[in-house]
Amino acid sequence: MTPMQFRSTYFPQLANRVYLAACSLGARSVALDRAMTAMLDAMQQDEPAWSAFEEETQQVRARLAKLIGARVDQIALLPNASVGAYQVVSTLRWDERQALLYSDREFPSIAHVWLAQKARGARPQAIRNAGRHADMAAQYAQRIERGTRFVSIPHTSYLDGKTLPVKQIAACARSAGARVFVDAYQAVGVQAIDVGELDCDYLVGGTMKYLLGLPGLAFLFARDGVGNDLDPQLTGWFGRKWPFDFDAATLDFPNGASRFETGTPSVPSIYAANAGLSLIGDLNPHLVREHVASLIDYASEKLLSQGETLLHIPRRAEHGAHLALADASPAALDACLRKHGIVASPRGNALRLSFHYYNDASDIDFFCEALKRCRKTSTS
């Protein structure tokens, strides 16, 4: 399916609006609408709705596993990526190895989980990432040592779209005996992710951004053979070997990733995830990546020619699916752009512009013209 076909078939509302906010929340699709109707219909059937809900849950797990090159038993479903981070790091001891390395480009919520481990004996250390991939890999390598217990790598920075050399950093960390955690939330759905190729121990992502779902559902990949020092303290009936035995007296943990699960997942988010994954699963991830990269190139060139400033000048091999347009008041700029039918995502000192397979060059042209008008209004 071509980008034009994808857009016209599943996103008819984009005929009269420009949506550049998938880095925050994916665009609404007709598949999502159908999924919400299907969930409500399941509640009206003679059969218990929970049977349908359980089938949807297993389908999400299978689709996520296929998307990232994992097995179904390596996928845990959780309410958000922060819980996934906590579930992993809280099961580690910090008595012999204390160093926990992470990037200053982490999403704050993930960094907060790492910082909270200081109370348990960990030594969280932020690595400042500047320069090209080789520089970032070298910065991690200089800090990774035998005393390093845990290394966290954001695949793509939530703020400026810059990607990190995950594979190189992971290899360095693994050779030193450290665990490797990857946050792929800003990559999965628009970049090909293969956990075998990355050779990480853990990877988290979520379904509400480029996977075109809703908030309330994330996933955690856990590699085989990753021995944990402690059982998860945050647990629930989905974290049992046989959850449908409803045995309140037995606290047993399965060997697979489901040991990290807690209680009942958000059912609307499960249905929405299946809707989004059904669309993403029909696409070639390499073609999606190429299409998005071409839009990033076009948008950055056009914005720079207008005198705009980007937080990171993209290079194809070192950039994700969104740009960060520097602005002193991004919320005010966003409000102006919305009057022109443009949806973007203000964060910090930047307005983020994200691109998916449903976007095209005309979106960028329209945005740039509206941006000129907003700039003129703000200075008049």
Side-chain angles (χ1 to χ4, degrees):
M1 182 175 286
T2 66
M4 183 178 295
Q5 291 170 329
F6 188 67
R7 178 180 179 130
S8 62
T9 302
Y10 298 118
F11 302 91
Q13 79 277 13
L14 296 185
N16 54 16
R17 75 191 307 214
V18 173
Y19 196 87
L20 303 175
C23 58
S24 179
L25 179 67
R28 176 179 170 180
S29 70
V30 295
L32 176 59
D33 289 1
R34 289 196 295 262
M36 295 299 95
T37 299
M39 180 193 70
L40 296 174
D41 287 346
M43 298 172 67
Q44 294 293 102
Q45 302 301 314
D46 293 334
E47 295 295 323
W50 285 108
S51 297
F53 296 169
E54 290 157 18
E55 289 178 10
E56 291 281 331
T57 301
Q58 294 310 314
Q59 190 172 36
V60 166
R61 200 189 305 274
R63 281 174 161 159
L64 287 168
K66 182 179 180 181
L67 184 68
I68 64 171
R71 294 196 318 273
V72 172
D73 65 323
Q74 295 176 314
I75 301 295
L77 299 179
L78 297 164
N80 53 62
S82 302
V83 171
Y86 172 78
Q87 289 296 74
V88 167
V89 77
S90 65
T91 61
L92 303 179
R93 294 187 184 278
W94 301 95
D95 46 1
E96 295 182 3
R97 294 182 171 212
Q98 290 87 35
L100 188 164
L101 302 183
Y102 66 99
S103 167
D104 65 352
R105 295 178 182 273
E106 301 274 7
F107 186 71
S109 185
I110 301 296
H112 296 159
V113 175
W114 305 152
L115 289 171
Q117 303 313 306
K118 188 175 182 179
R120 300 179 57 240
R123 289 188 292 108
Q125 304 169 34
I127 298 175
R128 184 175 181 275
N129 290 283
R132 307 190 65 167
H133 269 202
D135 301 321
M136 290 188 285
Q139 286 173 312
Y140 266 90
Q142 289 170 3
R143 302 282 291 277
I144 294 171
E145 56 184 13
R146 285 294 168 183
T148 303
R149 183 75 165 104
F150 194 84
V151 175
S152 175
I153 316 165
H155 186 287
T156 302
S157 165
Y158 80 98
L159 182 57
D160 60 13
K162 191 172 187 177
T163 62
L164 275 71
V166 176
K167 187 175 180 180
Q168 297 95 308
I169 297 171
C172 181
R174 293 285 298 277
S175 67
R179 303 281 176 83
V180 178
F181 178 97
V182 177
D183 178 2
Y185 215 133
Q186 291 289 353
V188 64
V190 282
Q191 298 185 65
I193 301 293
D194 187 315
V195 291
E197 182 179 342
L198 295 179
D199 198 24
C200 55
D201 296 299
Y202 309 101
L203 181 142
V204 292
T207 61
M208 73 173 178
K209 299 181 188 289
Y210 296 106
L211 292 183
L212 308 174
L214 292 175
L217 187 68
F219 65 92
L220 168 68
F221 159 81
R223 183 178 59 84
D224 285 353
V226 181
N228 294 84
D229 304 323
L230 307 168
D231 288 325
Q233 298 299 295
L234 178 61
T235 190
W237 71 300
F238 270 59
R240 304 283 68 77
K241 288 183 178 179
W242 310 106
F244 293 101
D245 282 355
F246 298 100
D247 181 0
T250 303
L251 186 64
D252 55 353
F253 291 91
N255 293 325
S258 60
R259 69 185 287 109
F260 296 110
E261 294 189 358
T262 57
T264 305
S266 166
V267 173
S269 301
I270 288 287
Y271 272 80
N274 266 324
L277 287 165
S278 70
L279 302 186
I280 297 296
D282 286 340
L283 302 176
N284 182 323
H286 300 288
L287 294 181
V288 173
R289 170 62 177 165
E290 183 61 29
H291 176 72
V292 169
S294 68
L295 294 177
I296 289 286
D297 289 345
Y298 181 63
S300 58
E301 180 180 349
K302 192 153 187 174
L303 287 167
L304 292 172
S305 70
Q306 288 186 193
E308 297 290 342
T309 300
L310 301 176
L311 296 190
H312 176 241
I313 307 300
R315 303 180 183 95
R316 280 209 177 196
E318 302 178 12
H319 206 82
H322 69 276
L323 295 171
L325 179 66
D327 193 85
S329 303
L333 177 58
D334 179 59
C336 178
L337 290 167
R338 285 178 183 266
K339 294 177 182 178
H340 295 280
I342 298 170
V343 181
S345 174
R347 284 289 184 275
N349 63 340
L351 183 75
R352 299 184 302 172
L353 315 172
S354 55
F355 303 95
H356 210 312
Y357 203 58
Y358 50 66
N359 290 115
D360 59 28
S362 69
D363 293 333
I364 298 169
D365 293 337
F366 190 86
F367 171 82
C368 288
E369 289 304 311
L371 178 62
K372 289 178 183 177
R373 292 193 288 273
C374 287
R375 293 296 194 212
K376 186 176 181 180
T377 300
S378 66
T379 57
S380 60

